[in-house]
mmCIF file of all heavy atoms in Angstrom:
data_model
loop_
_atom_site.group_PDB
_atom_site.id
_atom_site.type_symbol
_atom_site.label_atom_id
_atom_site.label_comp_id
_atom_site.label_asym_id
_atom_site.label_seq_id
_atom_site.Cartn_x
_atom_site.Cartn_y
_atom_site.Cartn_z
ATOM 1 N N PHE U 481 -18.825 -5.221 6.267
ATOM 2 C CA PHE U 481 -20.228 -4.847 6.310
ATOM 3 C C PHE U 481 -21.032 -6.053 6.767
ATOM 4 O O PHE U 481 -20.675 -7.197 6.635
ATOM 5 C CB PHE U 481 -20.684 -4.431 4.909
ATOM 6 C CG PHE U 481 -19.847 -3.359 4.309
ATOM 7 C CD1 PHE U 481 -18.916 -3.655 3.337
ATOM 8 C CD2 PHE U 481 -19.914 -2.077 4.834
ATOM 9 C CE1 PHE U 481 -18.107 -2.635 2.835
ATOM 10 C CE2 PHE U 481 -19.113 -1.066 4.284
ATOM 11 C CZ PHE U 481 -18.238 -1.343 3.290
ATOM 12 N N THR U 482 -22.220 -5.757 7.255
ATOM 13 C CA THR U 482 -23.126 -6.772 7.739
ATOM 14 C C THR U 482 -24.427 -6.664 7.022
ATOM 15 O O THR U 482 -24.851 -5.602 6.688
ATOM 16 C CB THR U 482 -23.292 -6.670 9.213
ATOM 17 O OG1 THR U 482 -24.238 -7.691 9.654
ATOM 18 C CG2 THR U 482 -23.831 -5.320 9.675
ATOM 19 N N GLY U 483 -25.127 -7.782 6.895
ATOM 20 C CA GLY U 483 -26.444 -7.778 6.302
ATOM 21 C C GLY U 483 -27.529 -7.628 7.321
ATOM 22 O O GLY U 483 -28.703 -7.772 6.996
ATOM 23 N N GLY U 484 -27.206 -7.336 8.593
ATOM 24 C CA GLY U 484 -28.182 -7.154 9.647
ATOM 25 C C GLY U 484 -28.877 -5.859 9.563
ATOM 26 O O GLY U 484 -28.658 -4.993 8.687
ATOM 27 N N ASP U 485 -29.741 -5.626 10.569
ATOM 28 C CA ASP U 485 -30.536 -4.379 10.557
ATOM 29 C C ASP U 485 -29.671 -3.216 10.958
ATOM 30 O O ASP U 485 -29.967 -2.069 10.577
ATOM 31 C CB ASP U 485 -31.692 -4.573 11.565
ATOM 32 C CG ASP U 485 -32.672 -5.625 11.113
ATOM 33 O OD1 ASP U 485 -32.754 -5.795 9.885
ATOM 34 O OD2 ASP U 485 -33.354 -6.180 11.981
ATOM 35 N N ASP U 486 -28.639 -3.450 11.732
ATOM 36 C CA ASP U 486 -27.834 -2.325 12.216
ATOM 37 C C ASP U 486 -26.574 -2.236 11.370
ATOM 38 O O ASP U 486 -25.649 -3.060 11.515
ATOM 39 C CB ASP U 486 -27.436 -2.523 13.692
ATOM 40 C CG ASP U 486 -26.579 -1.401 14.223
ATOM 41 O OD1 ASP U 486 -26.393 -0.407 13.501
ATOM 42 O OD2 ASP U 486 -26.070 -1.549 15.352
ATOM 43 N N PRO U 487 -26.429 -1.204 10.465
ATOM 44 C CA PRO U 487 -25.245 -1.195 9.635
ATOM 45 C C PRO U 487 -24.000 -0.895 10.420
ATOM 46 O O PRO U 487 -22.926 -1.084 9.872
ATOM 47 C CB PRO U 487 -25.592 -0.001 8.686
ATOM 48 C CG PRO U 487 -26.536 0.817 9.421
ATOM 49 C CD PRO U 487 -27.346 -0.105 10.276
ATOM 50 N N ALA U 488 -24.148 -0.395 11.601
ATOM 51 C CA ALA U 488 -22.941 -0.183 12.428
ATOM 52 C C ALA U 488 -22.627 -1.330 13.336
ATOM 53 O O ALA U 488 -21.777 -1.259 14.198
ATOM 54 C CB ALA U 488 -23.121 1.072 13.285
ATOM 55 N N GLY U 489 -23.281 -2.457 13.122
ATOM 56 C CA GLY U 489 -23.121 -3.602 14.060
ATOM 57 C C GLY U 489 -21.936 -4.465 13.756
ATOM 58 O O GLY U 489 -21.718 -5.457 14.449
ATOM 59 N N THR U 490 -21.170 -4.146 12.737
ATOM 60 C CA THR U 490 -20.002 -4.965 12.435
ATOM 61 C C THR U 490 -18.982 -4.910 13.590
ATOM 62 O O THR U 490 -18.732 -3.824 14.147
ATOM 63 C CB THR U 490 -19.340 -4.469 11.124
ATOM 64 O OG1 THR U 490 -20.354 -4.442 10.167
ATOM 65 C CG2 THR U 490 -18.198 -5.373 10.716
ATOM 66 N N GLU U 491 -18.310 -6.013 13.817
ATOM 67 C CA GLU U 491 -17.284 -6.002 14.878
ATOM 68 C C GLU U 491 -16.165 -5.120 14.512
ATOM 69 O O GLU U 491 -15.649 -5.092 13.396
ATOM 70 C CB GLU U 491 -16.737 -7.430 15.075
ATOM 71 C CG GLU U 491 -15.742 -7.531 16.203
ATOM 72 C CD GLU U 491 -15.242 -8.956 16.334
ATOM 73 O OE1 GLU U 491 -15.761 -9.817 15.692
ATOM 74 O OE2 GLU U 491 -14.278 -9.154 17.125
ATOM 75 N N ILE U 492 -15.726 -4.293 15.427
ATOM 76 C CA ILE U 492 -14.758 -3.241 15.192
ATOM 77 C C ILE U 492 -13.561 -3.441 16.154
ATOM 78 O O ILE U 492 -13.762 -3.653 17.281
ATOM 79 C CB ILE U 492 -15.308 -1.836 15.334
ATOM 80 C CG1 ILE U 492 -16.386 -1.617 14.304
ATOM 81 C CG2 ILE U 492 -14.261 -0.734 15.260
ATOM 82 C CD1 ILE U 492 -17.064 -0.322 14.428
ATOM 83 N N ASN U 493 -12.357 -3.324 15.591
ATOM 84 C CA ASN U 493 -11.193 -3.215 16.399
ATOM 85 C C ASN U 493 -10.903 -1.762 16.724
ATOM 86 O O ASN U 493 -10.396 -1.048 15.827
ATOM 87 C CB ASN U 493 -9.981 -3.843 15.710
ATOM 88 C CG ASN U 493 -8.710 -3.794 16.546
ATOM 89 O OD1 ASN U 493 -8.712 -3.165 17.637
ATOM 90 N ND2 ASN U 493 -7.692 -4.473 16.141
ATOM 91 N N PRO U 494 -11.218 -1.275 17.878
ATOM 92 C CA PRO U 494 -11.119 0.207 18.098
ATOM 93 C C PRO U 494 -9.687 0.679 18.214
ATOM 94 O O PRO U 494 -9.423 1.890 18.281
ATOM 95 C CB PRO U 494 -11.840 0.372 19.453
ATOM 96 C CG PRO U 494 -11.702 -0.912 20.165
ATOM 97 C CD PRO U 494 -11.714 -1.940 19.049
#
Side-chain angles (χ1 to χ4, degrees):
F481 306 105
T482 176
D485 295 332
D486 180 9
T490 307
E491 182 180 354
I492 295 177
N493 179 353

